[in-house]
Short mmCIF file of all heavy atoms in Angstrom, two decimals:
data_model
loop_
_atom_site.label_atom_id
_atom_site.label_comp_id
_atom_site.label_asym_id
_atom_site.label_seq_id
_atom_site.Cartn_x
_atom_site.Cartn_y
_atom_site.Cartn_z
N ARG A 27 -13.47 1.26 2.70
CA ARG A 27 -12.39 2.00 3.37
C ARG A 27 -11.19 1.06 3.27
O ARG A 27 -11.12 -0.15 3.66
CB ARG A 27 -12.72 2.20 4.86
CG ARG A 27 -13.80 3.19 5.08
CD ARG A 27 -13.84 3.68 6.55
NE ARG A 27 -15.00 4.46 6.77
CZ ARG A 27 -16.11 4.03 7.19
NH1 ARG A 27 -16.33 2.67 7.39
NH2 ARG A 27 -17.12 4.82 7.41
N ALA A 63 3.37 9.91 0.97
CA ALA A 63 3.66 10.49 2.37
C ALA A 63 5.15 10.16 2.67
O ALA A 63 5.90 10.98 3.26
CB ALA A 63 2.73 9.88 3.36
N ARG A 121 6.41 -10.78 -7.67
CA ARG A 121 5.45 -11.96 -7.96
C ARG A 121 4.17 -11.33 -8.29
O ARG A 121 3.31 -11.92 -9.05
CB ARG A 121 5.38 -12.86 -6.74
CG ARG A 121 6.14 -14.11 -6.97
CD ARG A 121 5.81 -15.09 -5.84
NE ARG A 121 4.63 -15.65 -5.80
CZ ARG A 121 4.28 -16.79 -6.29
NH1 ARG A 121 5.22 -17.64 -6.69
NH2 ARG A 121 3.05 -17.35 -6.22
N ALA A 125 6.08 -8.41 -14.82
CA ALA A 125 6.72 -7.72 -15.89
C ALA A 125 6.62 -6.20 -15.67
O ALA A 125 6.03 -5.50 -16.53
CB ALA A 125 6.09 -8.14 -17.24
#
Side-chain angles (χ1 to χ4, degrees):
R27 293 192 186 89
R121 262 185 69 104

